Amino acid sequence: MKKLCFLPLIVFLACSPDHKKQDKQAGKSADTVTIVFRSAETDQLWVHPAMTLKETETLEPSYQMNPGDTLTLQLNAALQTLSLDYQFVWGMEFIVSPGDTIVAEVETQQKNVYRLVNGKRQAIKSVEEETYCDTSALHALKLQMKKSLDLKATQPAAALRAYIGANEAYFGRKRDSLLSIASPRARLLADVVLADQYGHLMDFNAEFKDAGLEQTLVSDKYLNRQNFNNRHLTPIFNAYQYHYITRNAMDKPLAERYKSAFTGFPEEMEATFKLSTIIEMILHKYDRKTLIAYIDDYKHVFGSNKTLEYWMKEIDYGTPVSNDLYLTNTQNNRTTWKDLLKQWRGKVVYVDFWASWCGPCIGEMPYSKKLKSELKDVEFVYLALNDEEQPWEKALEKYEITEKSYLITNSKTSAFITDHQINTIPRYMIINKKGEIVNADAPRPSSTEISYLLKAELSR
């Protein structure tokens, strides 16, 4: 199986730039919580305060902590959930209040999270522990989901009723019991349950595909302004966006969804869903002209925000598009791909699109070096894509590929990249003696067939 490096369009998870500065500023307010991260390891801890989707457009949605760091966060409510993620394989969500000091300790085999009260440790229950204590009931719900999906072909109505009944029995009763307590903490936990219930229904219907249930899931029963402004119901809107924008992006063109799928929602919800659609367009490598058109439309209707500006920067919004590749070498001499091809007319060219940060690319370099020594009449050209000058130059020296190596300086705005769908690297091309691309996705240097293909071009 091929190993590929996906070109980095970074998901918008903002990091706190200066923890010390935050501590100083936040310490002036009583509406704060302090997080202390202690670890003998070197990995980082991510902190995610609960937020509405609207808040993520202006506030930092995530904070990154190194071992030994102390982070002070401003809270937006008397009770708020906070999630900790370590290496994205372990996590915990729990409720915090203003004035709390939370300590997260990570050792090799053990992870502890506790509240520090007057110098003493106080155990913290996760939201899951506070809300769900009957794991056998959840197991039964999962079994019912599988059973209902199996019965869909023969008894669709009965299968649907059975799952919805089991879902309501598990989540609905739990939520009702929490709401009967009539305390702020219980109401928060009831919201968490509602969001979980919606997620399970969405996952079920993604496979069952019942039109009636789908209509309910996209109705204002769940997707309404009040829920949208409730930070503990944000998972409902995340689930909706995942299923109707991200997951189904190939079933219905994103441009079509942008135009028609969200018009019935309140304006702030429509703006959020349309922004998510634009981000998916960027991730799916829509052509630049289309992206600019939809970004301009969004800005005209809804204005700009922090998230949109981040993605505009990612695609070099405002920079003119070129059909060529703009290149520079280690002597800072600038040229273009078209000009180089003119120089190499009459030669066979083997092009390697790579980057210094790409492990699979680096893994091919010894094979490339060997192949180059065997085929001295072939021009081996190395084009660094989405790379930075310093690490690129160091990699050239380390892997001895300084000759005919260039850094692409318009990776994000070159139509050449999008036209040839260079979405992953390493990527190789063969150019014939006429300067024509004869293989836009050629085999790697480590393959058995590449030598034969290049020799065949040389003989023509």
Side-chain angles (χ1 to χ4, degrees):
M1 180 181 291
K2 285 186 178 181
K3 290 183 180 179
L4 300 172
C5 286
F6 288 86
L7 302 183
L9 274 169
I10 307 168
V11 176
F12 186 68
L13 283 174
C15 302
S16 170
D18 190 339
H19 291 160
K20 291 182 181 179
K21 183 177 179 182
Q22 287 174 356
D23 288 345
K24 185 177 178 181
Q25 291 176 339
K28 297 176 182 178
S29 171
D31 299 328
T32 59
V33 60
T34 301
I35 314 293
V36 180
F37 179 35
R38 298 171 181 167
S39 177
E41 309 295 325
T42 58
D43 295 296
Q44 294 159 326
L45 180 75
W46 284 90
V47 181
H48 312 285
M51 288 186 183
T52 67
L53 290 177
K54 199 67 182 172
E55 286 173 333
T56 62
E57 294 174 5
T58 55
L59 302 174
E60 302 286 1
S62 300
Y63 298 85
Q64 195 176 28
M65 298 182 69
N66 293 308
D69 280 354
T70 296
L71 174 66
T72 303
L73 294 176
Q74 185 79 32
L75 294 185
N76 300 311
L79 291 174
Q80 188 171 338
T81 60
L82 196 70
S83 296
L84 303 181
D85 281 320
Y86 182 71
Q87 297 180 315
F88 295 99
V89 295
W90 169 85
M92 180 178 178
E93 182 184 18
F94 52 94
I95 297 174
V96 292
S97 301
D100 278 350
T101 296
I102 307 298
V103 180
E105 292 182 337
V106 176
E107 304 299 335
T108 305
Q109 300 294 331
Q110 195 172 6
K111 299 170 184 67
N112 294 314
V113 179
Y114 56 87
R115 186 176 284 105
L116 203 59
V117 182
N118 296 324
K120 295 182 179 179
R121 295 187 179 195
Q122 186 181 90
I124 294 178
K125 281 189 176 182
S126 68
V127 166
E128 185 176 7
E129 289 172 321
E130 286 200 63
T131 309
Y132 307 112
C133 53
D134 189 356
T135 55
S136 62
L138 180 59
H139 180 65
L141 178 63
K142 291 179 179 177
L143 290 176
Q144 181 58 59
M145 178 176 173
K146 183 179 184 306
K147 185 177 179 181
S148 291
L149 291 173
D150 291 340
L151 289 174
K152 177 190 172 184
T154 56
Q155 303 175 51
L160 180 63
R161 283 196 304 271
Y163 178 75
I164 290 178
N167 180 281
E168 183 61 27
Y170 181 70
F171 291 107
R173 290 176 187 172
K174 171 58 68 176
R175 188 163 182 268
D176 288 344
S177 67
L178 286 166
L179 290 174
S180 69
I181 299 173
S183 73
R185 192 180 194 89
R187 283 196 297 273
L188 186 158
L189 292 171
D191 287 339
V192 171
V193 173
L194 178 62
D196 284 349
Q197 181 177 24
Y198 182 85
H200 277 77
L201 287 170
M202 269 288 193
D203 290 341
F204 170 76
N205 208 44
E207 297 185 55
F208 199 87
K209 301 186 187 304
D210 178 74
L213 179 54
E214 179 178 358
Q215 191 172 1
T216 300
L217 290 171
V218 300
S219 72
D220 62 4
K221 175 180 179 180
Y222 295 105
L223 305 178
N224 57 62
R225 183 180 281 110
Q226 182 177 345
N227 287 353
F228 184 74
N229 292 320
N230 182 333
R231 60 182 57 87
H232 299 111
L233 294 179
T234 295
I236 287 179
F237 296 87
N238 288 336
Y240 169 80
Q241 291 186 118
Y242 171 72
H243 284 282
Y244 286 93
I245 300 175
T246 305
R247 182 172 179 172
N248 294 327
M250 303 309 294
D251 298 336
K252 187 175 182 180
L254 290 165
E256 185 181 339
R257 287 189 177 276
Y258 182 95
K259 292 175 182 176
S260 61
F262 315 116
T263 53
F265 292 110
E267 183 178 315
E268 62 266 40
M269 292 166 59
E270 180 185 358
T272 295
F273 297 151
K274 285 191 170 183
L275 179 55
S276 295
T277 306
I278 289 173
I279 293 170
E280 285 299 321
M281 288 181 181
I282 294 171
L283 294 172
H284 281 79
K285 303 290 183 182
Y286 271 54
D287 69 90
R288 186 174 179 79
K289 185 177 179 181
T290 300
L291 290 175
I292 298 300
Y294 281 95
I295 289 173
D296 287 346
D297 176 80
Y298 184 94
K299 288 170 64 182
H300 175 72
V301 177
F302 304 109
S304 189
N305 58 58
K306 185 176 174 181
T307 304
L308 180 64
E309 288 167 3
Y310 171 87
W311 287 101
M312 287 168 63
K313 184 178 179 181
E314 275 297 303
I315 65 168
D316 279 350
Y317 177 91
T319 303
V321 177
S322 172
N323 292 320
D324 207 348
L325 294 173
Y326 298 153
L327 308 170
T328 185
N329 63 12
T330 52
Q331 284 76 46
N332 224 15
N333 296 323
R334 299 185 182 279
T335 187
T336 68
W337 179 240
K338 289 180 181 178
D339 286 343
L340 288 178
L341 285 181
K342 289 176 185 176
Q343 296 177 28
W344 296 325
R345 188 65 59 90
K347 296 276 191 177
V348 174
V349 182
Y350 185 50
V351 188
D352 180 347
F353 290 92
W354 71 293
S356 62
W357 47 262
C358 170
C361 302
I362 300 304
E364 290 293 323
M365 290 306 175
Y367 299 99
S368 181
K369 185 177 180 180
K370 181 175 183 294
L371 189 65
K372 185 178 178 181
S373 67
E374 295 171 357
L375 300 172
K376 298 187 183 298
D377 292 331
V378 175
E379 299 289 348
F380 283 73
V381 180
Y382 303 90
L383 302 182
L385 182 62
N386 284 359
D387 213 340
E388 295 182 4
E389 191 170 351
Q390 265 195 325
W392 167 66
E393 289 183 347
K394 287 181 180 178
L396 296 184
E397 295 292 338
K398 183 175 182 179
Y399 301 108
E400 301 177 337
I401 53 170
T402 53
E403 187 182 358
K404 296 184 179 67
S405 282
Y406 301 89
L407 177 67
I408 302 173
T409 59
N410 66 331
S411 295
K412 296 174 183 176
T413 58
S414 172
F416 183 93
I417 301 297
T418 53
D419 290 348
H420 292 91
Q421 298 181 335
I422 306 176
N423 300 328
T424 59
I425 52 176
R427 175 76 174 270
Y428 303 89
M429 289 184 180
I430 298 175
I431 314 291
N432 67 13
K433 295 175 182 179
K434 297 178 183 178
E436 301 166 337
I437 298 175
V438 291
N439 194 327
D441 193 5
R444 298 181 178 200
S446 61
S447 68
T448 55
E449 63 264 43
I450 186 58
S451 179
Y452 298 105
L453 291 174
L454 291 172
K455 287 177 181 177
E457 282 302 324
L458 286 171
S459 66
R460 289 189 173 94

